[in-house]
Amino acid sequence: MTDSPLTTSPVHDDPEYAANLRRATLASSLGSALEYFDFALYGLSTALIFNVLFFPQGDPGMATVLAFATFGVGFLARPFGGLFFGVLGDRLGRKWVLVVTILLMGGASTAIGLLPTYEAIGFWAPVILVVLRLLQGFGAGAEQAGATVLMAEYAPVKRRGFFSALPFIGIQAGTLLAALVFSVIALLPEDQLLSWGWRVPFLASFALILLALFIRMRLRETPTFVELEKHDQIADRPIRDIFTHGLPGVIVGIGLRMAENGGSYMFQTLGLAFFVSVLGPSADKSLLTWGVTIGSLIGVFSVPFAGHLSDRFGRRTIYRAGAVFMLVYTFPAWWLLSLGNHAIAIAVIAIGIGFAVATMLGPQCAMLPEMFGNRHRYLGVAMAREISAVLAGGLAGVLGSYIISVSGGDWVLLATYMATLALITTASTFLVPETLRRDLTRTDDAIKVSRNEGGDGVYATTVSIKAVGL
């Protein structure tokens, strides 16, 4: 099989290609920023605001559990959104799906800022909150997968890890912005914070929607999808393709995401709730959010750097290093959080987000698209990302807050939970062949067939899963 021109290198000095690459980076980054701004903001609000405003206060501990359940509901909707929009992305193209998802996701987030509280409308307040959270999750279910696929298919082959990771600066920027905004509004007197202050950042997300929409409308379709259209290879039934050919890739992709996604949400939201349970009313909530802020700021640099390292040393090597780091870090981290020291807690959360999570996220940006064939890549990435988001991120808040409630804040149980996620991801890195510089115009999946033509990282020899480490 001869390599397509897309396997070697795009025309780097072509002005049209350079302009499209810039647009793709901006379009992906803004979508990622909006998604994670909303999700991080929702997560921070869950532990400190929604549990008070949208649920009866007879049992504060149960109100917190219920609030985290609404956080988890958004994750339940994500696989359905990924399935629905993933099929459209593989049949109609990447661009228009990303236009629709940004409107759906951002519109639901803005509407949350207009929602009446439990005191105003009673039972209907949490019901409407759940509906909006479902819509938010349904749109987000294809947003990040689309951004991942878009950049991987646009990026120069030899620097695909670095370029694919650039939009994921949007993840860190969105999380950073949410933490900064929340840190500021948390300084308000409690009555103002609970009456109107919390609404401001949700309403302000509307500006991000307009900017992202403007850029995405000017974006051209990716070169690899154009290649599919040119050769009349677009899948009529992407779902059938996934279940007949792509299922191993989806399963391994889920495993790869367990520590990255679950660890991220545990540090961002559960770490905050746990620390508050340790100190009680004396916990400085506005101060503690600086752990997320600093960790996200570190991630702005560490995510693309990890992607760059994966271009040099391989996706699996860097990914595995991040998973092992989280595994080693887990028990000391939760023990340190249990000490109830604000400065130590800030450092623990910052390191967890900025280094442990970011080291896995960097290579993941290119690795997941490289694992799937061109005919069902969008759907494959969406399924791997969003099913894992339910199993890892969605359960983290609900199960973790339940553990805190019934165990009286036992840090060992929380650490064991995170260590389990890290072990699953570490094991999963042995189940996937190296995907570095894989030809994205190929229609077969890397999990079954890989190619190896020597030291340049381009593949040519068929291998089985046994041959890569089992």
Side-chain angles (χ1 to χ4, degrees):
M1 173 180 172
T2 58
D3 291 331
S4 134
L6 296 170
T7 316
T8 53
S9 62
V11 184
H12 296 281
D13 55 354
D14 181 354
E16 184 178 355
Y17 169 78
N20 283 328
L21 181 59
R22 285 194 299 271
R23 291 192 195 103
T25 304
L26 282 173
S28 303
S29 299
L30 282 172
S32 299
L34 177 61
E35 176 184 349
Y36 278 78
F37 173 77
D38 289 336
F39 268 64
L41 187 64
Y42 195 104
L44 290 168
S45 300
T46 296
L48 304 176
I49 293 174
F50 291 164
N51 59 330
V52 176
L53 293 181
F54 291 97
F55 299 93
Q57 294 302 295
D59 184 348
M62 186 53 62
T64 300
V65 172
L66 290 173
F68 270 108
T70 67
F71 185 70
V73 160
F75 288 94
L76 290 176
R78 292 179 69 137
F80 296 100
L83 179 65
F84 179 78
F85 288 114
V87 170
L88 294 181
D90 282 323
R91 296 188 64 183
L92 305 179
R94 325 308 191 196
K95 170 185 173 177
W96 292 109
V97 170
L98 288 173
V99 169
V100 174
T101 56
I102 199 73
L103 289 172
L104 180 60
M105 182 179 66
S109 300
T110 302
I112 289 174
L114 300 171
L115 184 61
T117 64
Y118 184 87
E119 185 179 359
I121 60 173
F123 173 75
W124 287 105
V127 170
I128 299 173
L129 180 64
V130 168
V131 171
L132 291 175
R133 181 67 175 158
L134 285 170
L135 291 174
Q136 186 188 54
F138 193 76
E143 169 63 34
Q144 202 58 58
T148 302
V149 171
L150 184 76
M151 274 313 300
E153 292 184 343
Y154 258 114
V157 175
K158 292 185 178 180
R159 303 190 67 197
R160 186 184 290 149
F162 173 74
F163 274 92
S164 297
L166 287 181
F168 282 70
I169 293 177
I171 293 177
Q172 309 303 320
T175 305
L176 174 61
L177 182 60
L180 283 171
V181 169
F182 199 87
S183 296
V184 172
I185 65 171
L187 297 175
L188 290 170
E190 187 170 1
D191 60 331
Q192 295 183 32
L193 173 65
L194 296 179
S195 63
W196 60 267
W198 69 271
R199 299 181 184 275
V200 173
F202 284 99
L203 296 175
S205 65
F206 187 68
L208 282 176
I209 301 174
L210 294 178
L211 183 57
L213 186 61
F214 172 75
I215 294 174
R216 289 185 176 187
M217 291 296 291
R218 301 178 63 211
L219 187 66
R220 294 192 177 185
E221 192 51 77
T222 68
T224 54
F225 189 80
V226 171
E227 197 77 7
L228 277 180
E229 291 181 313
K230 185 186 300 182
H231 294 89
D232 197 24
Q233 291 181 318
I234 295 175
D236 293 325
R237 301 176 182 176
I239 296 178
R240 183 190 62 182
D241 282 2
I242 278 294
F243 282 101
T244 56
H245 302 293
L247 194 57
V250 172
I251 294 172
V252 174
I254 291 170
L256 289 171
R257 290 257 299 157
M258 295 301 283
E260 174 268 319
N261 189 258
S264 175
Y265 283 104
M266 286 187 75
F267 280 123
Q268 286 182 40
T269 61
L270 198 59
L272 177 61
F274 173 68
F275 190 82
V276 170
S277 74
V278 171
L279 283 187
S282 62
D284 189 333
K285 300 172 184 177
S286 63
L287 181 62
L288 194 61
T289 56
W290 280 99
V292 180
T293 303
I294 296 171
S296 301
L297 183 59
I298 295 171
V300 168
F301 302 96
S302 57
V303 168
F305 182 66
H308 165 70
L309 290 178
S310 76
D311 284 329
R312 295 193 60 189
F313 303 107
R315 317 289 186 223
R316 290 191 308 172
T317 301
I318 305 304
Y319 210 119
R320 190 176 300 155
V324 171
F325 177 78
M326 178 171 282
L327 179 61
V328 173
Y329 183 64
T330 293
F331 281 91
W334 286 96
W335 173 72
L336 288 170
L337 286 174
S338 74
L339 299 180
N341 182 287
H342 285 86
I344 292 176
I346 289 172
V348 166
I349 293 173
I351 293 170
I353 295 172
F355 292 102
V357 172
T359 304
M360 290 179 280
L361 186 56
Q364 180 193 113
C365 306
M367 190 175 189
L368 286 183
E370 289 170 339
M371 286 170 57
F372 294 97
N374 200 13
R375 287 163 58 88
H376 55 247
R377 177 171 297 123
Y378 199 134
L379 182 58
V381 173
M383 289 293 91
R385 285 189 58 85
E386 303 314 327
I387 294 174
S388 63
V390 175
L391 298 177
L395 283 179
V398 178
L399 183 57
S401 60
Y402 179 76
I403 290 172
I404 293 172
S405 178
V406 300
S407 70
D410 189 340
W411 69 268
V412 175
L413 293 178
L414 293 169
T416 302
Y417 179 27
M418 182 177 279
T420 301
L421 298 179
L423 280 172
I424 292 172
T425 294
T426 302
S428 297
T429 63
F430 290 93
L431 297 177
V432 60
E434 180 56 68
T435 61
L436 181 64
R437 300 181 191 174
R438 195 169 194 266
D439 180 359
L440 294 186
T441 64
R442 293 180 60 171
T443 56
D444 60 316
D445 288 354
I447 199 70
K448 290 182 178 179
V449 178
S450 65
R451 307 173 54 201
N452 188 2
E453 293 182 350
D456 61 356
V458 180
Y459 295 91
T461 305
T462 299
V463 296
S464 67
I465 293 178
K466 285 186 177 181
V468 296
L470 286 184

